[in-house]
Amino acid sequence: MSSNKSKSYIVFRDAFLNCHKNLSKENVYKLLNVEWNKIKKDDELIQQHIEIYSTKQKLNLAKNTLLLWTNNSNINSCTQSDVVTLDDCTLSSIATTTNTISTANTTTTTNTIPTANTTTITSSNHPCTAQEKLCNDLAGVNERVTTLMQLKQIGLQTTENEKQLKILLKQQKSMLYQLKRLRNSAAAAKQVGLVLKTSFRQDKGRPSVDDTCPDLLVTIEEIAMLGGAVDDRRRTETVRSCLTFDDLRETLKMKGYDIKRSTLYYRLLPRRALSIDGKKHIRTVNVRLQKAQNNLHKKHEDGHFAAAAIRFAKDLATLFGNDCVFFLSQDDKCKVPIGLPAAKKQAPLLMHLDYVIKLPDHDFVIASRHQLTPSVYAACLINNAGDVGYSGPTYIAIRSAKHDKSVSANHRDDFNHLVKLKEFNTAALDSSNTVKSIVIITVDGGPDENPRFPKTLASSIDIFKTHNLDALFVLTHAPGQSAFNAVERRMAPLSHDLSGLILPHDNFGTHLDASGNTIDFELEKKNFEKAGEVLAEVWSNTVIDSHPVITSYVNSSFTSQVSSNIDESWCDRHVLQSQYTLQIVRCDSQDCCGEWRSNFFQVFPQRFLPSPVPFVRGSSGLVIITNDSEQDQFYGSLFQRLQLNKLIHKQLNSSSIPFDYFCTSVKQSISKRTCEICNKYFPSMERRKNHCKIHNTCKKNLDSPN
């Protein structure tokens, strides 16, 4: 047995023997050995038993002390009625005589008279009635003893007074003894009360889990920290644990905490602190239950590649700044129904009780395609730090989903309209009140906005030529990842404003028959226009991030179409088109495009943004990988890509690479989409076919005689 174990045994033995003094020595040692064999292997259990027996020893000592005081016999003392009262004549004569006696000649006898301090009552939270009564009686006896002692000193004491003094002194001694006994009894009771209070619970009912398991909260926090993750945006100190509630309870069981589910639940942070259930969470730890969120975005094999191209465009915007770059994000919001609640969820409304919101008694559409299509355009300003932010003015063009279509020509017309709005002066125009020389547009990749489609190309060329731009970039995310588009930040407050809103479908009279078929087309257009104007009025009162929202209804009769004829020769010099990007840049010929409005060509002599290339860091340095799904891959910034241009050409053993060379979904089609004559890459076979017409025309011109 080690030295520590021997010391523990000695302490345990002494505590055990002191608590079992009523047993014989033989029996008590038998019980001691049995108890020790049960706990000798567990040091914590030994300490617990030592504390239990020590507490019992103190409790027994306190009880014995209390019994000792209560069992003492009462001391016989004379009562107040045994004292002979002095007559008025004697008292008056004593008072007259004592006034003539000087205090210097007063002598004390061996019987000392108690001072006022002897009558002081011990301070306590509870009244001591017996002590108070005894102190009052003792004060009266002390006063009479003092008077008789003064008579004896001046020689006026009679035989009767002497008898009275002896009786009073005896009574005084008895009362002092009784007072001392009462005070000692009160002190012993107080000590016993303290021992009982520390040894036994005073509260009624079942003990709280916080008393029986004082370290429960610390244990819960430690379990939640293991395998946890910090807040997604690092805005709070909340830790997101990967455990479920049942996992937490099972882990606590393994640690020896067998508690109920409800008990464990009320030790966590409530979901709503002001609710009835939330007020039951009194003693909590900084751990909260969270529901699973349906915000998992669909993964795509081209996700990193498309995002890298958009990041290159943002680096370009950061370089040239807010005075030279107009950054625009556009998307079509989900269609708004007519005749039904515009939003599925009802927001809290502050209303007078005299008015009641009336909802239709049906949840089916009034008629087919009775909807409005909002096209949202969000300008993104570049902040002082040089980063492309998410704030800026918003323009919404509302069109009829039945009488109009969402096509690239509409987005072109909307762009030409919004740059004329005074709310977009700072975001879209430069110091000369013309559209900024560099325009970057991010879209959601739909059929009306996809940069690889011919109609989108034709509309973008019109914008480029109309506003005399130096560069126009149209970029999109991979399919399923349009939620990362900046305009999506504006959708939530716009949807909130639709709560409780029902757009009228028959403001000028119904245009439908009983079967829901249109019988008056002109009236139908008027009703759609009125519904669009109501929606535009609602959204025009919205303010997002201290920036205005401008909304207007666009009549289908004013919609123009884009020309499908594209000058392939012009595109060959100014356009670089790929799967997810469209780049239109001014050429260096003044006869063709005139002078540059900015020094874009001096900063980027290559004119077009380079193709994204994935890298990994290895022992030999940076290595190009063919599949960007590998772990620890990165594309870097625009300026890192330009700096590594020579390294890329050397490792690939090529002087130029197609823009979509590392785009996973089109790797097999790159050779088919590349022109065999000029090695230029195109996003579709149709675009490559149209481009080849240029070479055929040049060949005919060379073969034809002068």
Side-chain angles (χ1 to χ4, degrees):
M1 183 181 295
S2 61
S3 59
N4 293 334
K5 190 71 71 175
S6 301
K7 293 179 181 179
S8 300
Y9 174 78
I10 294 172
V11 177
F12 174 79
R13 182 197 62 188
D14 296 338
F16 187 88
L17 293 177
N18 290 330
C19 292
H20 299 82
K21 291 182 179 181
N22 56 339
L23 300 177
S24 63
K25 188 174 182 181
E26 181 181 359
N27 293 334
V28 76
Y29 271 94
K30 286 182 180 180
L31 295 176
L32 173 65
N33 294 332
V34 173
E35 190 76 8
W36 175 256
N37 291 331
K38 292 181 180 179
I39 64 173
K40 63 182 181 179
K41 295 182 180 181
D42 192 346
D43 295 335
E44 293 183 1
L45 196 57
I46 293 172
Q47 295 298 327
Q48 291 179 4
H49 279 69
I50 291 173
E51 292 179 0
I52 292 173
Y53 289 125
S54 299
T55 304
K56 288 183 179 180
Q57 180 184 358
K58 294 178 181 179
L59 182 59
N60 293 333
L61 180 61
K63 289 182 179 179
N64 294 333
T65 303
L66 181 60
L67 291 175
L68 178 63
W69 284 104
T70 56
N71 292 331
N72 286 338
S73 60
N74 295 329
I75 301 176
N76 295 327
S77 59
C78 60
T79 60
Q80 183 69 20
S81 59
D82 296 333
V83 180
V84 180
T85 307
L86 300 177
D87 54 0
D88 297 337
C89 179
T90 307
L91 291 176
S92 60
S93 62
I94 292 173
T96 307
T97 308
T98 53
N99 290 333
T100 60
I101 301 175
S102 61
T103 58
N105 297 328
T106 302
T107 60
T108 60
T109 62
T110 57
N111 297 322
T112 306
I113 300 174
T115 60
N117 293 333
T118 60
T119 61
T120 304
I121 302 174
T122 305
S123 61
S124 174
N125 295 331
H126 303 282
C128 302
T129 308
Q131 294 186 40
E132 291 179 358
K133 182 179 179 181
L134 190 59
C135 287
N136 294 332
D137 296 342
L138 182 60
V141 173
N142 290 338
E143 184 178 357
R144 292 183 177 89
V145 170
T146 303
T147 304
L148 294 176
M149 290 294 294
Q150 291 177 354
L151 289 175
K152 183 178 180 180
Q153 291 175 2
I154 62 178
L156 297 178
Q157 186 180 20
T158 63
T159 305
E160 189 67 24
N161 291 339
E162 186 177 358
K163 292 180 180 180
Q164 292 179 359
L165 180 60
K166 290 181 180 180
I167 295 174
L168 288 172
L169 290 175
K170 190 175 181 180
Q171 185 180 8
Q172 184 187 61
K173 184 178 180 181
S174 176
M175 296 176 69
L176 287 173
Y177 186 81
Q178 291 182 17
L179 181 61
K180 183 178 180 181
R181 185 179 64 82
L182 289 175
R183 290 178 177 175
N184 291 338
S185 299
K190 184 177 181 181
Q191 183 179 3
V192 172
L194 293 175
V195 175
L196 293 175
K197 187 175 182 180
T198 55
S199 302
F200 302 97
R201 289 191 332 107
Q202 301 298 322
D203 299 334
K204 297 180 180 180
R206 186 176 181 178
S208 174
V209 69
D210 298 304
D211 297 334
T212 57
C213 305
D215 55 345
L216 176 62
L217 299 181
V218 179
T219 305
I220 294 175
E221 188 171 4
E222 290 177 354
I223 296 173
M225 290 287 289
L226 296 176
V230 297
D231 191 9
D232 291 333
R233 299 185 180 177
R234 275 66 170 177
R235 293 181 178 178
T236 64
E237 296 181 358
T238 305
V239 177
R240 297 184 298 105
S241 177
C242 301
L243 298 174
T244 62
F245 185 73
D246 293 332
D247 294 337
L248 176 61
R249 188 163 177 260
E250 291 297 328
T251 308
L252 287 174
K253 281 187 177 181
M254 295 174 59
K255 291 182 175 291
Y257 299 93
D258 191 6
I259 58 179
K260 295 182 179 180
R261 287 176 58 90
S262 58
T263 304
L264 177 58
Y265 172 73
Y266 287 125
R267 295 306 179 276
L268 307 180
L269 292 178
R271 185 172 302 169
R272 293 187 300 273
L274 298 180
S275 62
I276 297 177
D277 184 73
K279 294 178 181 179
K280 298 179 181 179
H281 298 253
I282 300 175
R283 298 180 181 178
T284 60
V285 68
N286 193 22
V287 178
R288 186 192 302 274
L289 289 176
Q290 290 186 348
K291 289 185 177 180
Q293 299 178 356
N294 55 350
N295 56 0
L296 180 63
H297 299 290
K298 182 180 179 181
K299 293 185 178 180
H300 194 273
E301 54 187 350
D302 299 337
H304 296 293
F305 179 84
I310 295 179
R311 188 164 56 251
F312 286 176
K314 290 184 177 180
D315 292 339
L316 176 67
T318 300
L319 179 64
F320 283 93
N322 200 40
D323 295 334
C324 189
V325 177
F326 176 32
F327 198 101
L328 183 68
S329 179
Q330 69 183 42
D331 190 11
D332 286 343
K333 191 184 181 300
C334 60
K335 293 180 173 58
V336 180
I338 299 177
L340 290 176
K344 294 182 179 180
K345 294 184 179 180
Q346 176 66 44
L349 297 176
L350 182 64
M351 65 188 73
H352 196 272
L353 294 180
D354 294 339
Y355 302 95
V356 179
I357 292 182
K358 296 181 179 180
L359 299 178
D361 58 352
H362 61 273
D363 57 355
F364 52 87
V365 295
I366 299 298
S368 61
R369 299 177 63 185
H370 270 53
Q371 296 172 326
L372 299 175
T373 303
S375 298
V376 185
Y377 302 87
C380 299
L381 300 177
I382 303 173
N383 54 32
N384 297 330
D387 300 327
V388 179
Y390 293 92
S391 300
T394 306
Y395 172 69
I396 305 175
I398 302 174
R399 291 181 172 84
S400 169
K402 185 174 183 179
H403 307 94
D404 203 350
K405 295 181 180 180
S406 181
V407 294
S408 59
N410 292 343
H411 298 302
R412 177 202 60 190
D413 297 339
D414 293 340
F415 181 89
N416 294 333
H417 176 71
L418 69 88
V419 295
K420 299 177 182 178
L421 299 174
K422 62 179 181 179
E423 291 82 0
F424 277 78
N425 287 345
T426 304
L429 305 182
D430 56 12
S431 57
S432 60
N433 288 331
T434 57
V435 180
K436 296 176 182 178
S437 58
I438 302 175
V439 176
I440 301 175
I441 304 175
T442 58
V443 296
D444 66 342
D448 56 331
E449 299 169 328
N450 199 300
R452 68 188 183 95
F453 290 166
K455 291 186 178 180
T456 305
L457 173 61
S459 299
S460 301
I461 292 175
D462 290 344
I463 293 175
F464 180 84
K465 291 182 177 180
T466 301
H467 301 285
N468 191 26
L469 303 178
D470 284 349
L472 172 63
F473 301 95
V474 182
L475 309 100
T476 181
H477 285 279
Q481 298 186 0
S482 61
F484 296 104
N485 201 3
V487 72
E488 299 295 336
R489 297 284 185 101
R490 316 285 174 92
M491 297 302 185
L494 294 177
S495 299
H496 183 272
D497 294 339
L498 299 182
S499 300
L501 176 66
I502 300 178
L503 300 176
H505 75 284
D506 53 357
N507 186 77
F508 298 103
T510 181
H511 55 273
L512 303 172
D513 57 11
S515 300
N517 299 321
T518 303
I519 56 178
D520 191 338
F521 292 98
E522 294 299 327
L523 182 60
E524 181 183 49
K525 290 183 179 181
K526 291 182 179 180
N527 286 330
F528 268 79
E529 183 176 359
K530 182 61 178 180
E533 291 176 353
V534 172
L535 179 59
E537 183 180 358
V538 172
W539 274 340
S540 296
N541 296 326
T542 304
V543 177
I544 303 176
D545 290 343
S546 303
H547 293 281
V549 176
I550 306 94
T551 313
S552 62
Y553 178 79
V554 181
N555 200 313
S556 59
S557 60
F558 299 104
T559 303
S560 60
Q561 298 297 326
V562 65
S563 176
S564 59
N565 296 326
I566 299 176
D567 188 353
E568 295 296 340
S569 298
W570 188 91
C571 290
D572 186 50
R573 299 190 303 272
H574 302 85
V575 177
L576 178 60
Q577 200 173 7
S578 62
Q579 186 75 9
Y580 299 106
T581 61
L582 170 61
Q583 304 181 52
I584 305 177
V585 183
R586 185 193 298 265
C587 66
D588 55 353
S589 175
Q590 294 187 2
D591 296 335
C592 178
C593 297
E595 295 183 357
W596 289 80
R597 295 174 53 192
S598 64
N599 58 353
F600 179 87
F601 182 70
Q602 299 176 8
V603 178
F604 288 93
Q606 68 276 11
R607 294 170 56 208
F608 300 105
L609 296 177
S611 60
V613 178
F615 293 93
V616 292
R617 299 177 178 89
S619 58
S620 59
L622 296 179
V623 181
I624 299 176
I625 58 175
T626 57
N627 188 3
D628 68 349
S629 62
E630 294 185 12
Q631 190 176 4
D632 298 332
Q633 58 83 23
F634 72 99
Y635 283 90
S637 63
L638 171 62
F639 310 107
Q640 290 175 340
R641 170 63 180 83
L642 295 175
Q643 186 67 26
L644 298 174
N645 196 34
K646 293 182 179 180
L647 175 64
I648 294 171
H649 293 317
K650 183 177 181 180
Q651 290 191 12
L652 297 178
N653 195 18
S654 175
S655 59
S656 62
I657 58 174
F659 193 90
D660 291 339
Y661 187 82
F662 291 96
C663 185
T664 306
S665 63
V666 299
K667 273 189 175 182
Q668 305 298 330
S669 305
I670 289 179
S671 58
K672 298 179 181 179
R673 298 180 181 181
T674 304
C675 178
E676 298 177 355
I677 300 176
C678 62
N679 293 328
K680 191 172 183 179
Y681 170 77
F682 296 92
S684 62
M685 294 296 295
E686 182 182 0
R687 291 291 304 126
R688 175 184 174 276
K689 181 180 178 181
N690 294 334
H691 168 76
C692 291
K693 295 178 181 179
I694 303 175
H695 301 297
N696 295 334
T697 303
C698 294
K699 185 177 180 181
K700 290 180 181 180
N701 293 335
L702 293 176
D703 294 340
S704 62
N706 297 331

